[in-house]
Amino acid sequence: MPDTRLSFRTASTAVFIVVTARFAAKSMRELRARGIFGSVKDLYNFSARKFFRFMMTLPGISEKVNAELDKTLTHTEEELVPRGPGIRRQLELPKDGWTDEQVTSELHELANMKHSPWEAGKVSGAVYHGGEDILKLQTEAYGMFSVANQLHPDIFPGVRKMEAEVVAMVLRMYNAPESGVGTSTSGGTESLLMACLAAKMKGRYEKSITEPEIVAPVTIHAGFDKAAYYFGIKLRHAPLDPITYKVDLNAVKRLVNANTVLIAGSAPNFPHGIIDDIEGLSKIALKHNIPLHVDACLGSFVVPFMEKVYNEIDPAVTVPLVDFRVKGVTSISCDTHKYGFAPKGSSVIMYRDAKLRRYQYFLATDWSGGVYASPTLAGSRPGALMAGCWATLVRIGENGYIESCRNIVSAARSIRFAIQNEFPTLYVLGQPIGSVVAFSSETLNIYDIADGLLKKGWHLSALQNPAAIHIACTRLTVTAAGELISDLREVVAQVEMHTTAGEKKPQGDTAMLYGVAGSISTNAVVDELAVGYLDILYKV
Ligand SMILES: *Cc1c(COP(=O)(O)O)cnc(C)c1O
C-alpha cells in the first residue's frame, strides 16, 4: 500500500510552494509598479480606509455620522424631488388613460420644471446642442423610426444601413485602415466597456491571461473603473507628468506586466482636456504587444478637425496624432452624442481589425430561444436613436463640423488665455488645445470660486486630486465666454477678499463636499453620500 500520508505531505508542500510563488510574484509586480514608497503608502491608505470604515460603525460615532448624512441628503432630496400641494405625483397606472391634451400639457410642465439654465450657455458640457434646425430634424427622424430595433435588421433594413454608415463615417474621420471596423453603442461608457471587454477576451484567448490588468492614466474616464468592476479587471492608474498633465510614460512602463491586456490614453481626457502622448503610449504598446485604446469620447467630432482648424487660427500649435495613423492604436471610442450633436444615447467603438471586434460579440448559439448573437451590451436597441444620429451627421457634414470645431476651440482658447494673462492668482492645468479648460489656484480655495460662479448661474465641473474646476465649451458656451471671464473677475475678487493669507478655508457647498472627499478619514462618508444621492434619483 502506498504511503498516503507521505503523498499528502508532498502534495501539500507542492501547493504551499505554488501559493507562495504566486504571492511573491504578485508582490513583486506591485512593488515594481508602485515602488517601495508607493507600496507602503498604498498599504497605509488601504488599512486607514478600513479603520475609518470600522470607526463609522461604532456606537456614538455612527449615530453622529448618520445624522449629518441625513441632513445633507434631505437637503439634496428637497432640491431634486419636488413635493408639495401643487405637485401631481403619478404613483400607479391611471385606470383609464389620459387624453392627448392631458399628456401634452403635463409634458410641458415637466419640460419646464426649474432647472440649471443650460440654454444660456452657462453649463459646462452636458448639453451638446447642434442648433434648433438639427433638433427638429432629429425629432422627425425619431418619429419615423420609433418602433425600429437593430436586433431585427430583416424588419428594419434602413436602420441597419444607417448604423453601418455611421460607423464607416466615423472610421474615416479617425483615419482607420481598410481593415477598420466598429459598432455603435448607447454612449461613451458602453464604448469603453466594449473596448475593455474585447481586450480582456483577447488576453484570455491569445495569451491565457486569467488575471487581466489595464494600465491607464489617473485622468482616464471613470468608465474604465466601471469596466474593471463589471468584468473583473484590475485597473492600474498611472500618474501624470506634473508640468504637462499628460500621462507619465515612465510610470506606464513600470505598470505594464505580463497580465496587462490593455493600455489606454485619452484624446483628450475629461478632467483637464489634455491629450495624452498617444505616440509615446503606442511605442510601449507595440514593444510589449499589448492593445492600445484611445478614448476620444470627448474629442469626438472636435479632435479629428483640429489639425485643419489650427492651421488657420494658430499654425504654431502642433496637434498631436491620436488616431489610427498611430501604429499601436488598436481601438478608439468616439461619442456621436457629444460634439457630433446626435441625440443622447449614441457613440461608436472602432477597432483596427475585425479580429479584435469579434471579442466583444456575445453568442448563445444553443439557446432554446434560437441562435442568438448580439454585438454590444444591449439586446434590443433603439433604431430611432440611430436614425437621429445618422440624420445629424449627414445634415451637418464635414464643413459644418469644422466650423463648430473652430468656434468651440476658439472659445476655449479665449478662456484659457484670459485666465493665464489676467488672473495672477489662477493657473491653467497643462496646455489644453481642445474644448476643455481646467484651472485652479495656489492661494485661493478653487471650490469657493466654483460656488461663487454658481451664484452667478455658472455650472462648472468640480475636479479633485488636484482640486480644480473646468469648463467644457459647447456651441452654447461660444457666445458666453466673455461673460464667464467678467463674472470670474468679480468672483475671484470676492474670494480674494475673504481669504486670509496662507489659508484656503472652505466657504460653500462644493468646498465642503470636496473638503470631505479629499481625506481618507472621511472618504467612507462620501461613499454614503453618493449612494444616498443615487437612491434619491428614484424617489417620487
Ligand atoms: C463623456 C466621456 C466619456 C463617456 O461618457 P458617457 O457619459 O458614457 O457618454 C468617456 N470619456 C471621456 C473623456 C468623456 O468625456
Side-chain angles (χ1 to χ4, degrees), residues 389-400:
C389 177
W390 183 88
T392 308
L393 265 55
V394 295
R395 174 70 182 79
I396 296 179
E398 188 176 54
N399 283 333

Side-chain angles (χ1 to χ4, degrees), residues 187-190 192 221 268-270 295 297-298 335 337-338:
T189 299
E190 190 183 348
L192 299 181
H221 191 270
N269 63 45
F270 171 83
D295 178 5
C297 283
L298 183 59
D335 284 2
H337 73 193
K338 283 201 175 141

Side-chain angles (χ1 to χ4, degrees), residues 195 262 292-294 324 329-333 349-352 356:
L262 183 67
L292 170 60
H293 181 79
V294 174
F324 285 109
V329 172
T330 51
S331 58
I332 304 179
S333 48
I349 174 71
M350 297 170 266
Y351 296 100
R352 185 173 283 279
L356 189 50

Side-chain angles (χ1 to χ4, degrees), residues 358-420:
R358 189 201 186 290
Y359 288 120
Q360 79 165 44
Y361 287 170
F362 175 76
L363 315 171
T365 44
D366 52 4
W367 181 37
S368 51
V371 174
Y372 184 90
S374 150
T376 53
L377 280 184
S380 289
R381 291 185 296 149
L385 282 185
M386 185 39 70
C389 177
W390 183 88
T392 308
L393 265 55
V394 295
R395 174 70 182 79
I396 296 179
E398 188 176 54
N399 283 333
Y401 285 116
I402 291 173
E403 168 84 19
S404 100
C405 172
R406 187 186 302 117
N407 293 341
I408 288 164
V409 163
S410 302
R413 269 163 70 85
S414 73
I415 294 170
R416 171 186 162 192
F417 291 134
I419 293 173
Q420 283 175 337

